Every structure is written in structure tokens, then in C-alpha cells.
Amino acid sequence: MPQNKFSRLETIVFPELKEYGIELIDNVIIENKNDLKKGLELISLPCYAKLIAREELHKSDKGLVREITNEKECIMFFEEMENLNKEKKVYSFVLQRRVKGVELFLGIKKDNLFGHVLLFGFGGIFVEVYRDIAYAVLPIKKDEFLELVEQTKIGERLLKGYRGYGIDLEKLYEVIKNSYRLMKQKNYSEIEYNPIIVSKEGITSIVDIKIVK
Amino acid sequence: MKNIRYVFYPQSIAIIGASREPNKIGNVIVKNLVEGGYRGKIYPVNPNTEEILGLKCYKSISEIQNSVDCAVICIKKEFVLDVVQQCANKKVKSIIMITSGFSETGNEEMEKKILSICKQNEIALIGPNCMGVIYTKNRVDSVFLPVYKMGRPKIGGISFISQSGAIGGCILDLAAYYGIGMNKFVSYGNGKLIGVEELLEYFESDNETKTLACYFEGIRDGKRFINALDKCTLRKPVVVLKGGKTSKSAKAIASHTSSLMGNHSSFRAVFKKTNTIEVESIDELFDVVKVFMQPKIKGKRIGVITNGGGLGILVVDKLVENDFELSEIPQQKREELRKIFPSELNIENPLDLLGDANTARFEVALNTMMNEESVDAIIVCLLLQTISLDATIINVLVRTNYFSKKPILIVAVGGEYTNSIVRVLESNNLPCYPSPERAVNALRKMYDYYENLNHRLSGNRKN
């Protein structure tokens, strides 16, 4: 776990997440080129490096994300980004652990008529293409969540242990419960996790998060 | 809203705006009540007429000596407010307001005044801007569409709530045409006082209604709507056709969630949560509502009988696609049938009775499937185009269906001859479908409803 002098991305961008027990995949913010080596040791290679706008934790599709396999690559990307990122207050350079697995989507949106609506399904950048998404009105019981997962093609297969991948319903249910609580208390209109990756080891990692206040 | 019942069960109806002139709304309504055989008192109200269709006409509602349970208002909107106040003074229990030109055209003010009078006096208000109410049993009929243009359905167990008068009219006419029995019909128009929420609450405890169908575009109160649906679907299937699902405004996409949400996703989530059956078209609404006239389906093993091989195959394909199974015919039964049927007939499921099958052969096959424990539902494909199969099949099907404890669905694809037989079958409570997929879709929706219902009931008991 990254500690001491490194900050985690979410503590800067969404400090409230910790209080609600929601944690992103292991990551460190690198302020200084000299910290790269230590940072990579903590995160372990291969990993992702990203330049992230602090007030909007989104849109990696502008070439601001790179897969890093060695230190040299990382330094080059850092320098490249440094030129782009003159204003350090605006962007953060982040190293983030890379996990392989199935990408899932989880979103909650406040609906004018029915309160909060949950979206669950197959995630990643092609979520709108596949549209393998099921919807439910919150709050939701655990067995109702299981039914919701079963409604999606990806969920149905993961529940049967598709290609060795499983799905940690408990963990996902925790994320939903905590996010729902967070949204109600802070009066946020939308929260979205995409992707949440489930690995073969059964670990569930939130890779990207977006909040609309 | 305890007075809603006076809309369906009035001892007396006043028609304010009754008219002598044929083809005026106020004339059609009086005529429908008189000729339809409404059993309560009818009071036409019109200051300029002495008599309408042989009934004494009153100058105003206050002139009527007896009490009035329901007032149908079909006068110009300028006079409506006064009349509503008169109704309140007369202690009228319910109003059906046909008159339009209120909030639907931006005229919010006057509608608010009407609503407040009704609320204060506990008047159950249907409308304004609605087509009214039908209750088949006591012949209450305030629908202003003439009988020669729109048929009236016979008595049955299906009730229908519609925001739209147009959709309501189409459904009633089709139900009448196919002989599908209905119980109550409400077109609630603007529905600010009594909308889909209140009507769902009412129909939950209306024991005459076995199946409820709804058409609406919007609702007023999300939480109340969910709650009402949740309770109603525990008592009876609720089939919903929702209009206005597409969003015209192409909003800038702020997130995946927003772009995935669409206009209708939250409604879909609510329907799923409450075990409400959603349909996509008027056709599908009928398909599904009809299947619920049949006994409950208890399992997923289906028996298929056909006199056209290909039709049976298409049914089987759709059954498999929808997770149904084909019942196994036990060995002993096969041998019995082998003695009766021609040697070239394969005793399998689907049971193909061959192109020369007649009514007698169908009867044997039907009885077999009826008595066979491994069959949870029967789909009968009728290829009525063949030489051997004729209208005598009607008697066998109707009789079998009458005593059946499992659902029987008919697939009959064809033209005029086929449809003439379909109409007779449907008016005898046999659901008929013009394609294999529509029959199987309806059966699947029925299966899912009862499956979810059992699940919910057992879950509730645990808690």
C-alpha cells in the first residue's frame, strides 16, 4: 500500500470517499520526477500512468493515459506531461496499479420521479456500444441485486464462473450501499464507477470514478 | 378517495350538457346509457330542453329532487366552474368531466379552481379532458363514442386504465370485436385528482378485476406509484403500455450513466421491481392480457399439438429460446396413441397430427395433453387451410378449455376463414395468436409473472 509522503488520488479529488469506505485501486500522486522510482516500487510494474484534471476525474481518451512497463518509459511520459502540465494545481500525475480482468459498470443517478436509480452491467469504454446494462430503483436488497446481476449477459456468465472469473457480490453490494448513502447525504446527482475490474483472483478494484454534484 | 366507487357503481347519473341533437356528445352519452340498459336513474340536464330520448330534462342539477351519485359534464369550458359548484351544493359524489381546454392547453388556473372545489367536497373527479368510464356489469357508459362506431366489450375480468382517450377507444373497440370480456374502463385525461396512482390503489381491491391493463405517458407521484403497483401486482397481473418513452432533446452527454439512462430506464426499473408486465404495443397488450384469462401456468413444460409440421417447429424454436421445455410423453401413453393414430404419425412432442388431421384426431391429442401430468401448458397450432380441418374444431377446443386446469393457447395463422374461427374461439375465452412468437411471448410473460409472484410471496412470508 502506498503510504507516507505519497498522496492517493481520491484523497485530493474526492476526500469524502474514504469516510464512506470507498477506495480506488492502489495509486499514488507523483509531484516530483525524483519520486517516480519510489512510486513505481509501490505500485509495481506494469502499471498505468495518467494525467488527471483534479476537478474532473475523467476522460482518459485524450492520450493522457499510458501503459508503463519500465521506469524509463515512465520518466519519458512524466516529462512529456510536465510540459503539458505547467499548472500543477490543475492536473495530477498519477501512477495506478494495473489489474487484468472483466470490466464492469456501476452507476447511480438521482431520478426526479423515483429517487435513485442503479445501473449495473458490462463496463469499459464501449459501455454504450454493448449496452448490457440492467436498472434498479434503490434501495435494493441483496437478493434483488443478485437478480439485477443475472439480468445482464456479463453478470449471468460471471455468476457461473465464466472463464475462471467470478464476481464478488458482497463487495459490489457494499460499494452500492456506501455510494447510495454518500449521494443522499451529500445530495450528489450522479456517481459512476467505470470500470470496476474483477480479477481472476476474485479481487474487485475500482479503476475510475466520476461524481456529478 | 373513497368516492371513486360512485364512478363505477352510481345509482343515478346526471348528464350535464345533455342534448337532443344527434352526434352531440351530450346526446351520444344519454343514448348509450338508455339503449345500453343502464339500470340506475338517468337525469339529462339542459336548460333549453324539456325532454331527451323520452326522459325528463332538468334545467339545472339543483332541480333534481333525488340525490345524484355521478355527474357527467360535457358543456363548454366557460360554464364548467359554475356547474362544478352546483354539483358540490347538490352533494354529488363523483364527476366525470369530458370537457377539455384546461391544463393540457395551458389553462392551469381554471383547472386548479375545479380541483379545489372537488377536493373540499370530497368529489371523485375523473378528467377533465377525458373520455369517461365504462362498467360492463351495470352498463355505466359515459364514453362519447357512438355504439355503431365503437363496439362495447362484453362482461369479463379485464379492467383498463387509460390516460389517453384515443388508446382507450382503440382497446375497447378491439376487445368488443374479438369478444374479449372487460370489467371496467376509465379514461382519466388530465388526472390531477385521480390519476394512475389513485386508480391502481382502487383496482388493487376491486375483486371483479382479475387482470389490470394500463396505458399512460406520465405520472405525478413516483413513490406513490411504486407503492400502488407493488401492492396491486401481488393481487393481480398488471400489464402496462407506456407512451412517450423517447427523449426528443439530445442533451449533451455528461457521463455514461446519463447517456445510458434514457427517458424510460427508471420506469423499466420500477416495472421490474414491482413485477409489472411491460408491453411495447397495443398488439402485445392484447396478447398478454388474453393469456391471463387462462388458468395459472405452474411449470415450464409445454405440450405442442399441430397439423402443420413447420408451424410446430417454429413454436418449438420460440419455446426453447424462451427457456421453456418440451414435455416428455410417457412410453405407455405413446403405445396407446399408436393404436389410435395412423402408423405414419410420429408420437412425439411437438405432436404433428399431419396434414390430413381432422377434429377427431385433435380431440384425442388434446385429451392426452390435458391428462398428462408432465404438461404444464398446451399450444395448439391450427392450420385451418387444410381440407380436413374445419369449424367443428371450435366445439372441441371450447369444451376442453372450459374444463382445463392448464393454459391452452392457440396459434392460427391465416386469412379470412382462419380469422372467422379465431373470433369465435376468442369470444369463448381461448386466447389466439397470429404467430408462434406472439403466443410464446405471452406465455413467457405469464410464466415470469407467476414465478416472480411466488418468489415475492414466499419472501414476504419469511420477513
Side-chain angles (χ1 to χ4, degrees):
Chain A
M1 281 291 285
Q3 278 159 0
N4 41 54
K5 68 172 182 172
F6 291 111
S7 300
R8 288 177 68 97
L9 178 63
E10 60 265 42
T11 60
I12 291 173
V13 187
F14 300 123
E16 64 273 31
L17 284 180
K18 195 178 159 63
E19 186 188 325
Y20 288 86
I22 301 163
E23 212 173 45
L24 283 180
I25 193 165
D26 279 352
N27 66 77
V28 290
I29 294 176
I30 305 290
E31 303 280 357
N32 193 313
K33 196 159 85 178
N34 301 330
D35 292 337
L36 276 174
K37 193 178 164 67
K38 186 82 204 305
L40 286 173
E41 272 169 26
L42 282 167
I43 294 300
S44 82
L45 284 164
C47 69
Y48 288 108
K50 296 183 180 180
L51 197 68
I52 289 175
R54 290 190 174 186
E55 71 273 25
E56 188 213 355
L57 229 178
H58 199 48
K59 280 315 144 196
S60 42
D61 44 347
K62 293 170 191 153
L64 306 181
V65 180
R66 197 157 298 173
E67 198 173 340
I68 302 293
T69 52
N70 58 53
E71 195 186 336
K72 202 177 140 202
E73 246 174 35
C74 195
I75 294 167
M76 275 169 62
F77 187 53
F78 188 87
E79 283 167 350
E80 205 179 301
M81 289 297 113
E82 221 172 14
N83 294 330
L84 245 168
N85 185 20
K86 295 286 184 224
E87 277 291 320
K88 283 227 175 91
K89 283 185 185 105
V90 181
Y91 293 104
S92 290
F93 188 87
V94 180
L95 293 178
Q96 183 178 292
R97 175 156 293 166
R98 195 186 79 166
V99 276
K100 292 225 158 162
V102 178
E103 298 189 326
L104 298 178
F105 180 94
L106 202 65
I108 302 174
K109 189 175 167 68
K110 201 171 155 192
D111 179 85
N112 290 336
L113 270 175
F114 302 118
H116 294 80
V117 178
L118 170 71
L119 293 79
F120 169 84
F122 192 34
I125 56 170
F126 295 120
V127 58
E128 279 122 329
V129 178
Y130 295 117
R131 282 191 176 263
D132 180 25
I133 300 282
Y135 304 84
V137 179
L138 291 175
I140 188 172
K141 289 184 209 137
K142 210 179 280 181
D143 59 331
E144 288 172 322
F145 177 57
L146 171 67
E147 275 173 40
L148 185 80
V149 172
E150 277 173 337
Q151 281 171 39
T152 61
K153 288 182 204 153
I154 187 68
E156 192 206 350
R157 281 167 179 74
L158 287 176
L159 285 169
K160 291 178 187 154
Y162 182 68
R163 289 176 179 252
Y165 291 101
I167 182 166
D168 187 347
L169 288 175
E170 293 285 329
K171 178 77 188 282
L172 289 172
Y173 188 67
E174 277 302 299
V175 174
I176 293 165
K177 259 187 4 195
N178 293 335
S179 308
Y180 180 46
R181 198 157 52 91
L182 166 73
M183 284 181 76
K184 279 198 302 187
Q185 285 169 359
K186 306 275 180 191
N187 203 22
Y188 293 161
S189 64
E190 208 174 301
I191 192 161
E192 175 178 300
Y193 306 99
N194 184 29
I196 292 184
I197 294 183
V198 289
S199 73
K200 277 206 169 153
E201 294 73 33
I203 296 162
T204 307
S205 317
I206 299 173
V207 176
D208 213 343
I209 176 172
K210 178 173 170 59
I211 292 177
V212 181
K213 296 192 177 174
Chain B
M1 215 8 97
K2 62 180 195 318
N3 284 342
I4 291 187
R5 69 190 170 92
Y6 287 104
V7 166
F8 302 111
Y9 301 92
Q11 302 282 333
S12 53
I13 301 176
I15 300 94
I16 305 174
S19 169
R20 291 173 72 98
E21 253 178 81
N23 296 328
K24 284 245 173 154
I25 287 177
N27 182 266
V28 173
I29 294 174
V30 177
K31 201 170 170 192
N32 289 348
L33 287 169
V34 172
E35 291 179 0
Y38 167 62
R39 291 180 191 119
K41 295 226 162 56
I42 306 168
Y43 303 115
V45 178
N46 182 338
N48 307 316
T49 310
E50 295 292 315
E51 185 204 292
I52 293 174
L53 295 164
L55 295 168
K56 182 189 173 201
C57 192
Y58 295 80
K59 299 259 177 278
S60 74
I61 191 156
S62 52
E63 226 187 54
I64 303 168
Q65 276 171 355
N66 297 324
S67 64
V68 174
D69 286 346
C70 180
V72 180
I73 299 178
C74 49
I75 49 173
K76 283 203 177 118
K77 66 169 186 277
E78 290 76 13
F79 308 118
V80 161
L81 202 56
D82 274 350
V83 161
V84 171
Q85 189 56 58
Q86 286 168 26
C87 287
N89 298 343
K90 175 75 190 159
K91 306 240 178 311
V92 166
K93 313 269 194 325
S94 66
I95 291 176
I96 295 168
M97 197 178 294
I98 310 288
T99 310
S100 58
F102 299 97
S103 63
E104 81 278 11
T105 55
N107 186 2
E108 302 275 350
E109 273 314 296
M110 204 196 287
E111 189 163 330
K112 271 186 196 150
K113 285 179 190 159
I114 294 167
L115 295 180
S116 104
I117 297 173
C118 289
K119 260 189 227 166
Q120 268 172 29
N121 296 280
E122 291 189 339
I123 297 171
L125 172 71
I126 303 287
N129 184 34
C130 77
M131 212 174 63
V133 168
I134 284 180
Y135 174 40
T136 51
K137 268 196 173 166
N138 65 359
R139 313 284 181 190
V140 165
D141 183 348
S142 68
V143 172
F144 56 83
L145 307 176
V147 174
Y148 75 94
K149 288 191 162 176
M150 190 200 82
R152 284 350 191 226
K154 63 174 192 183
I155 298 172
I158 300 162
S159 287
F160 182 53
I161 303 171
S162 184
Q163 184 176 354
S164 150
I167 304 292
C170 298
I171 301 264
L172 286 170
D173 201 17
L174 283 171
Y177 182 74
Y178 283 105
I180 292 164
M182 290 191 79
N183 194 270
K184 298 182 179 72
F185 165 80
V186 201
S187 142
Y188 64 84
N190 294 358
K192 293 254 167 64
L193 205 60
I194 297 174
V196 68
E197 296 89 341
E198 290 77 12
L199 289 165
L200 283 168
E201 286 165 8
Y202 176 83
F203 278 104
E204 185 213 334
S205 50
D206 180 47
N207 292 330
E208 288 178 289
T209 296
K210 308 296 178 205
T211 302
L212 184 63
C214 310
Y215 172 86
F216 59 85
E217 286 136 29
I219 60 166
R220 305 193 319 274
D221 182 341
K223 290 271 143 71
R224 189 167 177 184
F225 177 74
I226 294 179
N227 203 16
L229 262 184
D230 208 39
K231 284 189 183 148
C232 203
T233 50
L234 284 173
R235 304 275 294 269
K236 59 200 75 181
V238 179
V239 183
V240 166
L241 174 61
K242 179 161 182 315
K245 285 188 266 203
T246 48
S247 159
K248 276 177 271 175
S249 61
K251 281 179 227 146
I253 295 160
S255 66
H256 293 296
T257 308
S258 288
S259 89
L260 290 165
M261 263 295 277
N263 252 9
H264 188 57
S265 309
S266 51
F267 272 100
R268 198 152 279 167
V270 168
F271 297 151
K272 194 89 201 167
K273 187 188 181 81
T274 54
N275 197 19
T276 302
I277 303 159
E278 194 192 4
V279 293
E280 300 293 336
S281 63
I282 294 176
D283 285 342
E284 200 190 1
L285 184 127
F286 266 98
D287 288 353
V288 175
V289 156
K290 280 190 306 200
V291 82
F292 280 104
M293 297 191 298
Q294 293 290 48
K296 187 164 157 176
I297 186 168
K298 293 188 179 123
K300 29 170 68 172
R301 300 161 307 170
I302 315 297
V304 181
I305 303 171
T306 183
N307 63 330
L311 215 47
I313 299 292
L314 286 182
V315 168
V316 170
D317 280 347
K318 287 294 156 190
L319 285 172
V320 172
E321 254 176 63
N322 281 281
D323 295 327
F324 283 112
E325 293 155 18
L326 289 167
S327 314
E328 282 291 333
I329 304 171
Q331 194 52 40
Q332 195 200 336
K333 200 87 221 164
R334 282 169 198 258
E335 270 152 36
E336 279 174 41
L337 290 174
R338 210 158 276 142
K339 287 178 201 149
I340 306 169
F341 286 149
S343 57
E344 65 272 24
L345 199 156
N346 274 328
I347 315 236
E348 291 295 339
N349 185 11
L351 188 53
D352 183 354
L353 302 177
L354 305 178
D356 63 347
N358 56 9
T359 296
R361 211 180 281 169
F362 264 96
E363 189 167 18
V364 173
L366 264 169
N367 286 335
T368 306
M369 295 285 190
M370 283 287 297
N371 299 324
E372 190 42 63
E373 223 180 290
S374 68
V375 177
D376 296 312
I378 305 167
I379 295 183
V380 183
C381 303
L382 299 179
L383 192 69
L384 286 156
Q385 290 84 348
T386 66
I387 297 170
S388 329
L389 193 63
D390 60 21
T392 54
I393 190 72
I394 293 172
N395 288 334
V396 168
L397 283 169
V398 170
R399 196 169 52 235
T400 312
N401 187 48
Y402 184 81
F403 293 107
S404 179
K405 292 191 167 61
K406 37 186 124 169
I408 300 176
L409 283 75
I410 310 291
V411 173
V413 190
E416 258 175 58
Y417 181 76
T418 298
N419 283 331
S420 67
I421 288 179
V422 160
R423 279 183 65 185
V424 182
L425 290 173
E426 295 220 304
S427 64
N428 283 285
N429 300 331
L430 265 157
C432 299
Y433 297 90
S435 71
E437 56 273 20
R438 282 174 64 178
V440 175
N441 173 55
L443 197 60
R444 171 68 191 262
K445 294 227 145 102
M446 185 199 216
Y447 178 83
D448 286 348
Y449 172 75
Y450 286 120
E451 171 90 351
N452 290 333
L453 182 66
N454 288 339
H455 186 71
R456 287 170 80 201
L457 291 173
S458 60
N460 283 357
R461 245 178 260 134
K462 256 181 248 161
N463 290 339

